[in-house]
Every structure is written in structure tokens, then in C-alpha cells.
């Protein structure tokens, strides 16, 4: 845990976070005061371990209207935001906005967006690019975005009572939409609150979300953008559903999923998670496999470990620490289960 200083963002839900050159930018979100269009950042690469938040107020251009549950592409030092649910005044209504509700007295409208807004982190400038062609996705929120090359992909999300399973991309150089991408073969079911993560130059990994039937999902899919085919990963555990989580790529193409909820947040608010799920999308390297083997069998190999070269020894010691902690946690979990079962047996008898 690191203490944060400076102009900290207020507690929000549905904010959008993205990193550019070690700086974490957080935009938008929702709290008890309504929707936000504020932008904050913190430098995560400080030398002294001090993390200081700054609210960006000295910017050029016009920021997006207040909203939450939007997504972001990072491309050429730019934060490119798409969609989200939020509010607009009557004078701000456009075709990019699908109205859900309205307060006629205050002339405020709530609904879903499909507009694109760009923040240039070098010039501190907001601008809205002119879309040069193609059919844009319909307005939505709680969708997912990912970048491959110069293409910003968007999948799924929700508008009104409908959850979607369509895939589109925006060319981030020409600002042209692809239209709905036709899929060959099977495809994931409709969903929102999922994640889409690049795992190779031509592949995307889709995980979890909330289905059209309000069922938390635990399925994982890989999309090949060359063949336009989806392939479901059948080895994933189906007992670990997640929605509104975060996901990122590890050093060896494993997907790391953190946080979120295992319950339908629209009905329950008790399933928040703080564990880390790790999914392999390809075999680990020979070095990684050897390090894991040594780490798991450190007691047997203790006389040989000290003979390793210094650089390799450092990696081995890290693995030993990791597997020692992992084994300790597993022992605690088993012990807790045995204790719970014992009390349950006593109470039932």
C-alpha cells in the first residue's frame, strides 16, 4: 500500500483509468453528487516513493460531458475515450446520445453515449476528432476497449435493457469506424462489465462480465483479428465469475484479473473481490518453468541453490519466497476449512 498525497480524486464508481508513460490518469465516474468529467493524474514512477495526485485544470479545449462506465484507448500519448452513461443539458443533445431519462424542469437528460473524445497528454488539450467514415457502434456503457496496432477495439456493453456482443474497431489514425465486424463460427454471449485485453499483435482476450440474464460470467475467449474467429478457453474455472473487474497482461502472456464482483451488482452488493486470478493463454517459457520447479522444491535443492550464478540466484530466491508464501496461504485455507467443517459437524450433532 502506498500513501497518496496532493489533490486526490473523490471516491467514485465507474471511473476510467489508463496509464501513459508511468502516469495514471483517472477520468469521470459517479458519486452521490452525480456524474463527473474531471481528470486527475499521478506519477507512479517517482524515485522517492511519494505519490502526488494532481487535478488537471489548466487545459485547452472542451472535455466530454459528465459520465461513468466509459472506456479508453491509449495511443500516441493520447487518451481516447469512448461511450459511457451520463448526463447532458438540452443544448448539448446530439445524435451520439441515446436518452434514457429526463428532468424537464432542470432540462437535464440522462443516457448513453457513442462519441469519441481525445486528451493529448503532451499538449494538455481536449479535442473531439471528426469521424471520417464507417458506421459507429450504437451508444453504450460498461463495454470494453483494447488497442491492437492503430486500431481501437470495442466489445459489448449495455444500452437500455439490452446487452450486446458486437465487436467494432476505430482506426486511431484516420478516425474511421469498421462497422460491426462479422464473426466466423461461435462467439461469446451478450454481456457488459467485462474486460478485453490484448495478448498478442493479433489476439484479444475477453473475460467475464454480466450476461443478458443478469448472470455473472466466468468464461474466457480469444479473438483472432486476422481470421475474425472466437475460441473459448475450456480450461478456465467456471466457479470464479467476475464483473466490473480489471485485467492486464503479465510478462509471459498470462492475464491478471483483479477485483470486481462475483455477484450481480444490480441485485446484490456483497460479492466484492480482492483476490487475483491468473489465466495462462500459452505455455510458460522454459526459464519460468525451471524457476517454479526450484521454488517449489527449495528444501530438496537447498545444497545446490547457492551454486547458481548471482543473477539467476536472485530470480530463484524471489520464486522461493513466492512459493513459500503461496504454500503458507494454502495451508491456512485448508486449516480454516477443517475448522469450519468441525464446528459445522458439532452444531449439527
Amino acid at each position: 500500500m502506498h500513501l497518496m498525497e496532493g489533490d486526490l480524486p473523490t471516491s467514485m464508481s465507474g471511473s476510467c483509468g489508463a496509464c501513459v508513460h508511468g502516469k495514471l490518469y483517472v477520468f469521470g465516474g459517479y458519486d452521490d453528487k452525480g456524474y463527473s468529467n474531471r481528470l486527475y493524474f499521478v506519477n507512479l514512477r517517482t524515485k522517492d516513493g511519494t505519490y502526488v495526485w494532481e487535478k488537471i485544470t489548466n487545459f485547452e479545449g472542451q472535455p466530454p460531458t459528465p459520465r461513468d462506465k466509459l472506456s479508453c484507448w491509449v495511443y500516441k500519448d493520447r487518451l481516447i475515450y469512448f461511450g459511457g452513461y451520463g448526463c447532458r443539458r438540452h443544448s448539448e443533445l446530439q445524435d451520439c446520445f441515446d436518452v434514457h431519462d429526463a428532468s424537464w424542469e432542470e432540462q437535464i437528460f440522462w443516457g448513453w453515449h457513442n462519441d469519441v473524445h481525445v486528451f493529448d497528454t503532451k499538449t494538455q488539450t481536449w479535442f473531439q476528432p471528426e469521424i471520417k467514415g464507417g458506421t459507429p457502434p450504437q451508444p453504450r456503457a460498461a463495454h470494453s476497449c483494447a488497442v491492437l496496432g492503430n486500431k481501437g477495439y470495442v466489445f459489448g456493453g449495455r444500452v437500455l435493457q439490452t446487452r450486446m456482443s458486437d465487436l467494432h474497431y476505430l482506426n486511431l489514425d484516420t478516425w474511421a469506424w469498421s462497422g460491426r465486424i462479422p464473426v466466423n463460427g461461435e462467439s461469446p454471449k451478450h454481456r457488459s462489465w467485462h474486460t478485453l485485453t490484448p495478448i498478442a499483435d493479433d489476439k484479444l482476450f475477453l473475460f467475464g462480465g454480466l450476461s443478458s440474464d443478469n448472470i455473472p460470467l466466468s468464461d474466457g475467449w480469444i479473438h483472432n483479428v486476422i481470421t475474425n474467429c472466437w475460441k473459448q478457453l475450456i480450461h478456465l474455472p467456471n466457479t470464479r465469475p467476475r464483473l466490473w473487474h480489471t485485467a492486464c497482461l503479465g510478462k509471459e502472456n498470462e492475464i491478471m484479473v483483479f477485483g470486481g464482483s462475483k455477484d450481480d451488482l444490480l441485485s446484490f452488493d456483497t460479492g466484492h473481490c480482492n483476490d487475483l486470478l491468473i489465466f495462462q493463454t500459452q505455455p510458460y517459457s522454459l526459464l519460468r518453468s525451471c524457476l517454479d520447479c526450484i521454488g517449489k522444491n527449495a528444501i530438496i535443492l537447498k545444497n545446490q541453490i547457492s551454486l547458481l550464478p548471482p543473477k539467476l540466484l536472485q530470480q530463484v530466491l524471489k520464486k522461493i519466497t513466492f512459493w513459500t508464501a503461496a504454500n503458507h496461504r494454502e495451508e491456512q485455507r485448508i486449516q480454516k476449512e477443517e475448522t469450519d467443517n468441525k464446528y459445522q459437524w458439532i452444531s449439527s450433532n
Side-chain angles (χ1 to χ4, degrees):
M1 179 183 292
H2 294 274
L3 295 177
M4 296 292 186
E5 301 177 6
D7 195 354
L8 277 71
T10 56
S11 299
M12 290 274 182
S13 70
S15 300
C16 184
C19 274
V20 180
H21 301 310
K23 292 182 178 179
L24 171 64
Y25 291 82
V26 174
F27 175 81
Y30 178 83
D31 64 7
D32 55 0
K33 296 180 181 178
Y35 295 91
S36 166
N37 65 348
R38 298 184 293 273
L39 180 63
Y40 298 83
F41 81 92
V42 59
N43 185 0
L44 300 177
R45 295 179 180 171
T46 59
K47 295 180 180 179
D48 60 358
T50 302
Y51 296 88
V52 181
W53 280 96
E54 292 184 38
K55 180 181 178 182
I56 298 178
T57 56
N58 187 24
F59 57 82
E60 301 291 332
Q62 184 67 34
T65 53
R67 62 190 69 187
D68 72 348
K69 296 189 288 291
L70 67 161
S71 285
C72 176
W73 301 295
V74 176
Y75 183 67
K76 291 183 177 179
D77 300 323
R78 294 172 171 178
L79 300 166
I80 306 172
Y81 295 99
F82 170 77
Y85 184 91
C87 59
R88 286 175 176 252
R89 298 191 178 277
H90 186 271
S91 59
E92 299 172 322
L93 294 183
Q94 298 174 357
D95 292 339
C96 65
F97 189 67
D98 197 333
V99 175
H100 174 217
D101 200 359
S103 171
W104 293 102
E105 183 178 345
E106 299 178 8
Q107 293 288 289
I108 298 291
F109 296 80
W110 292 269
W112 290 267
H113 300 80
N114 71 343
D115 50 352
V116 177
H117 291 263
V118 180
F119 182 76
D120 190 314
T121 60
K122 283 188 173 180
T123 63
Q124 302 280 286
T125 301
W126 283 104
F127 67 93
Q128 192 166 3
E130 179 185 353
I131 302 301
K132 298 295 179 62
T135 303
Q138 70 183 103
R140 64 192 63 204
H143 49 284
S144 59
C145 283
V147 174
L148 286 180
N150 67 342
K151 295 176 180 177
Y153 287 85
V154 56
F155 179 88
R158 176 183 171 181
V159 61
L160 295 172
Q161 299 304 314
T162 302
R163 291 186 175 89
M164 294 164 279
S165 63
D166 52 342
L167 181 67
H168 305 250
Y169 73 77
L170 176 66
N171 187 306
L172 304 178
D173 287 321
T174 65
W175 304 114
W177 281 106
S178 64
R180 180 168 184 157
I181 299 173
V183 174
N184 300 316
E186 62 176 349
S187 61
K189 62 175 65 176
H190 301 64
R191 67 190 66 205
S192 61
W193 281 337
H194 50 284
T195 49
L196 189 68
T197 310
I199 58 173
D201 292 340
D202 57 357
K203 291 183 177 65
L204 299 166
F205 177 76
L206 172 73
F207 177 72
L210 190 67
S211 73
S212 296
D213 302 323
N214 293 335
I215 303 297
L217 299 170
S218 59
D219 55 340
W221 297 74
I222 292 180
H223 179 73
N224 187 313
V225 300
I226 297 176
T227 62
N228 284 335
C229 291
W230 286 99
K231 181 179 180 181
Q232 185 172 6
L233 297 183
I234 58 175
H235 64 274
L236 298 187
N238 57 10
T239 57
R240 309 289 288 275
R242 287 293 183 276
L243 56 101
W244 215 346
H245 51 281
T246 58
C248 68
L249 189 66
K251 291 182 178 179
E252 297 198 42
N253 281 25
E254 67 269 75
I255 306 298
M256 300 186 178
V257 171
F258 179 75
S261 176
K262 60 185 178 181
D263 289 332
D264 171 14
L265 286 173
L266 303 176
S267 303
F268 307 98
D269 196 24
T270 57
H272 295 281
C273 305
N274 67 346
D275 53 345
L276 182 69
L277 308 181
I278 301 178
F279 302 128
Q280 277 184 257
T281 58
Q282 65 182 37
Y284 284 136
S285 67
L286 180 59
L287 174 61
R288 168 69 180 270
S289 299
C290 290
L291 290 174
D292 281 336
C293 182
I294 297 172
K296 293 177 182 178
N297 298 281
I299 296 177
I300 299 174
L301 301 171
K302 63 180 180 180
N303 294 328
Q304 289 80 28
I305 289 175
S306 61
L307 303 176
L308 292 171
K311 187 175 181 180
L312 187 58
L313 180 60
Q314 290 181 359
Q315 298 181 66
V316 167
L317 293 178
K318 287 182 179 180
K319 279 295 178 183
I320 293 174
T321 301
F322 170 82
W323 284 110
T324 301
N327 292 335
H328 178 68
R329 286 195 299 269
E330 182 64 14
E331 290 172 1
Q332 285 186 318
R333 186 188 66 81
I334 294 174
Q335 186 177 11
K336 184 177 183 300
E337 283 186 358
E338 291 176 350
T339 303
D340 292 343
N341 291 336
K342 181 180 179 180
Y343 283 131
Q344 192 173 22
W345 184 84
I346 293 175
S347 61
S348 61
N349 290 277

